[in-house]
Amino acid sequence: MAILEEPIKEPLHLKNYIDGEWVESEGERKDVVNPATGKVIATVPISTEDEINEAVEAAKEAFPEWRRTPPLARARCLFRLKQLLEEHFEEVSRIQTMEHGKTIDESRGETRRGIEMVEVATGIPSLMMGYNLEDIATGIDEYVIRQPLGVFGIIGPFNFPFMVPLWFAPFAVATGNTIVLKPSSEDPISQVKIAELAEEAGIPPGVWNIVHGGRTVVSGMLDHPDIEGICFVGSTPVGRDVIYRRCGETGKRVIAMCGAKNFALVMPDADLDRTIAACMTSFFGNAGQRCLANANLVIVGEGLSEQEHEEFYQEVVERFVASASRIRMGYGLDDTVHMGPLRDKKKRDRVVGYIEKGLEEGATLLLDGRQFELVNDIPDTCFVGPTVFENVTLDMTIAREEIFGPVASVMKARSLKEAIEMIHQIPYGNAASIFTNSGKWAREFQYNVQCGNIGINVGIAAPMAFFPFGGMKDSFFGVLHGQGREAIRFFTESKVVIQRWF
Ligand code: NAD
């Protein structure tokens, strides 16, 4: 059980990156603590309003020159960034494990997904093309061009500190915009590393800025007249009531990707070995701190008698609990570990509070994550083990609210129709999975379920970088989604030119 070498040996003193310079903030400083070891690994500034204004000013000044830079030249910077990220792949992955707690394999997966965003954005000369038509009337031609808008603000969540800001930043910059990025102050280190590599890749000063902090920075971005649009990923109350509302008031474009409560349906014909394996990573991967994690498991008795449904239910639940209880917990830098801690003690206490709430409301606890063993000699302050409840009903808090921890609620539905209705009783609509061998059931599910991301025999329905990513209902606020072609549209304005020559 060797623990891999930690890339951060001494606490880092993080700075803002504004106009190509690493600058000290006047704001207070906050500790960034490795949740597995309890050690401080960095201090991060909570920047002031003046500092966010300086960054926006720098981004605004850099915009005209960057916009004039040919798309191919912009893409070459991103090719270099991609190359540098590959060279630092293991280092940035280990940093994520240290700042967030996830296992090294989960971090490597996150790094790969982040790099893919940069790869797709290098296709910008083709992706950004407009279209035209000759002779819309005799001798008159018309065409559409796509143009960048200016400065975009990017606000990241804590759960994917490396990847999520890359859902936006490479596309924004490739299209000729400039950015001011605020990483989550809980785990901001990997974004600092990316900005260092962006600088090395030749992205000019002022194009890619980082301002650390919290609400002051966010409200500074929302209110700033020179920010054209905001990309936010985080919880629904902040996304809907702060970000989306204020962007409406100030006339900014917005992508607000928010909270989730996702369902997985197991149909009687599902391949159970594969289903249980997929469920383990979906429910418990990243310690349940994924917007695409499944949280409610519905065992569906479509076509079965009540007795057969009960037997099928018992079989699935037994296998689910048995697999969950084999999950190895410890420090994510030990590569035999399957699950790391939650991001911090407050999050651990919050998840434990939900377990207590589930018991109070009458659910039955089959596997209690408050009791666990760690495979490494580390403090147990931020850990919660895999937790499984049954006899959960949809009026219970644990079935309705986003717990964002490794807690599964198991339910039954007599039919697929009833299971889909259950999904629709929850205000969120981020993702849903079905496990079945029936194309008919899968199609019915895909056709009817109001969620932005559908998994068919897939537990984590995460779109690749060249497909759009967004939810429905309370999981998404905005029109265009992140990633792929929708991101290109979000970060550009279309202009129509109609021309005739005499
Ligand atoms: P959060 O809402 O607490 O914070 C997100 C960002 O907003 C952070 O940068 C934070 O500093 C800032 N912020 C927090 N409170 C604020 C306030 N009152 N005013 C202004 N800014 C504020 O979310 P989190 O805990 O960092 O992330 C977890 C959440 O993100 C979960 O709800 C999860 O489902 C969601 N998430 C969604 C997706 C998706 O694709 N839909 C992806 C990842 C995470």
Side-chain angles (χ1 to χ4, degrees):
M1 270 176 272
I3 291 180
L4 299 170
E5 192 183 340
E6 295 179 331
I8 303 169
K9 313 271 185 228
E10 295 295 329
L12 305 167
H13 181 91
L14 303 183
K15 294 181 180 173
N16 289 332
Y17 181 58
I18 299 176
D19 206 12
E21 304 283 336
W22 291 94
V23 288
E24 197 66 69
S25 164
E26 305 266 291
E28 285 174 21
R29 299 193 75 81
K30 182 179 149 185
D31 289 343
V32 179
V33 177
N34 179 335
T37 62
K39 288 191 189 137
V40 174
I41 52 172
T43 64
V44 62
I46 302 301
S47 305
T48 63
E49 203 169 333
D50 286 349
E51 288 160 346
I52 178 69
N53 291 343
E54 273 166 43
V56 177
E57 190 56 35
K60 188 185 172 193
E61 292 220 343
F63 173 64
E65 186 63 33
W66 184 240
R67 180 199 164 174
R68 270 198 301 277
T69 305
L72 199 55
R74 298 198 297 257
R76 284 190 191 117
C77 290
L78 292 173
F79 275 114
R80 286 193 292 272
L81 176 60
K82 162 180 151 85
Q83 188 52 38
L84 289 164
L85 287 167
E86 295 288 0
E87 285 164 20
H88 292 265
F89 189 98
E90 187 60 17
E91 180 194 355
V92 293
S93 300
R94 291 186 193 182
I95 288 174
Q96 287 161 64
T97 294
M98 291 186 75
E99 66 181 339
H100 176 278
K102 62 186 67 187
T103 68
I104 186 62
D105 271 354
E106 289 167 343
S107 295
R108 288 175 186 140
E110 178 170 350
T111 306
R112 180 51 61 212
R113 282 295 174 108
I115 292 175
E116 284 165 6
M117 304 294 153
V118 181
E119 286 171 338
V120 171
T122 58
I124 202 63
S126 313
L127 291 170
M128 207 174 153
M129 279 181 187
Y131 51 94
N132 60 0
L133 186 69
E134 275 185 342
D135 289 323
I136 52 153
T138 307
I140 304 179
D141 305 330
E142 181 166 339
Y143 51 94
V144 169
I145 49 180
R146 303 212 71 94
Q147 300 187 326
L149 289 125
V151 185
F152 279 82
I154 299 172
I155 302 159
F158 84 90
N159 66 326
F160 284 99
F162 177 88
M163 174 186 72
V164 165
L166 292 178
W167 286 350
F168 312 108
F171 296 103
V173 164
T175 43
N177 300 286
T178 57
I179 58 168
V180 179
L181 195 161
K182 188 200 90 63
S184 170
S185 59
E186 297 176 32
D187 41 17
I189 305 169
S190 49
Q191 285 307 316
V192 168
K193 192 72 208 172
I194 296 173
E196 285 171 6
L197 299 179
E199 183 179 18
E200 202 180 325
I203 293 180
V207 172
W208 191 303
N209 304 279
I210 302 269
V211 179
H212 296 286
R215 288 173 196 203
T216 308
V217 171
V218 172
S219 48
M221 277 187 188
L222 292 170
D223 291 345
H224 205 295
D226 292 326
I227 288 206
E228 299 294 331
I230 297 281
C231 305
F232 167 88
V233 181
S235 60
T236 295
V238 180
R240 179 188 54 208
D241 305 336
V242 180
I243 307 292
Y244 190 61
R245 173 168 298 168
R246 191 71 189 132
C247 285
E249 286 164 357
T250 56
K252 296 188 196 321
R253 298 186 166 204
V254 60
I255 289 177
M257 300 170 70
C258 297
K261 186 77 182 179
N262 306 317
F263 285 70
L265 272 47
V266 186
M267 302 302 289
D269 65 345
D271 176 329
L272 279 194
D273 288 342
R274 290 192 169 117
T275 300
I276 299 295
C279 283
M280 288 304 110
T281 41
S282 178
F283 282 77
F284 305 120
N286 219 19
Q289 301 168 112
R290 272 198 191 116
C291 68
L292 295 173
N294 284 317
N296 289 342
L297 180 73
V298 185
I299 299 163
V300 186
E302 178 84 39
L304 302 181
S305 68
E306 271 190 41
Q307 170 71 20
E308 287 164 341
H309 187 194
E310 187 53 38
E311 285 163 14
F312 175 55
Y313 172 88
Q314 289 305 341
E315 185 186 358
V316 177
V317 170
E318 271 165 32
R319 293 179 66 167
F320 188 92
V321 172
S323 291
S325 52
R326 284 195 293 269
I327 287 176
R328 287 166 61 85
M329 297 170 61
Y331 189 9
L333 283 184
D334 170 346
D335 59 12
T336 68
V337 159
H338 304 136
M339 194 169 109
L342 293 167
R343 212 337 287 159
D344 51 53
K345 288 182 198 163
K346 217 169 127 193
K347 291 185 173 49
R348 191 278 315 268
D349 292 346
R350 190 171 167 274
V351 173
V352 168
Y354 274 110
I355 298 175
E356 285 159 3
K357 189 85 184 158
L359 286 169
E360 256 168 53
E361 291 183 349
T364 311
L365 195 49
L366 296 177
L367 185 63
D368 186 351
R370 293 171 300 179
Q371 287 150 22
F372 54 80
E373 278 176 26
L374 299 181
V375 299
N376 311 106
D377 183 17
I378 48 172
D380 62 2
T381 47
C382 302
F383 286 87
V384 178
T387 301
V388 184
F389 276 107
E390 69 171 348
N391 295 324
V392 179
T393 52
L394 272 185
D395 54 351
M396 290 183 188
T397 312
I398 53 167
R400 303 188 67 79
E401 293 186 6
E402 182 178 43
I403 299 175
F404 227 51
V407 181
S409 293
V410 187
M411 294 171 233
K412 273 186 217 161
R414 289 292 296 131
S415 66
L416 177 56
K417 187 164 178 280
E418 184 189 330
I420 293 174
E421 279 163 10
M422 287 165 75
I423 297 177
H424 291 163
Q425 284 178 47
I426 301 290
Y428 297 107
N430 212 35
S433 300
I434 187 170
F435 293 91
T436 181
N437 274 316
S438 157
K440 179 178 179 292
W441 286 340
R443 186 178 186 279
E444 195 174 327
F445 184 79
Q446 166 202 308
Y447 192 84
N448 289 305
V449 170
Q450 288 168 28
C451 286
N453 305 286
I454 299 291
I456 297 173
N457 297 313
V458 167
I460 307 159
M464 298 292 283
F466 30 89
F467 283 101
F469 189 166
M472 291 182 182
K473 295 161 71 187
D474 276 0
S475 295
F476 181 82
F477 299 90
V479 178
L480 292 167
H481 292 173
Q483 303 188 177
R485 283 184 230 157
E486 292 207 22
I488 305 299
R489 287 188 60 201
F490 181 78
F491 290 117
T492 55
E493 186 62 278
S494 58
K495 188 184 270 181
V496 169
V497 182
I498 303 171
Q499 63 173 350
R500 88 203 300 181
W501 296 96
F502 300 109

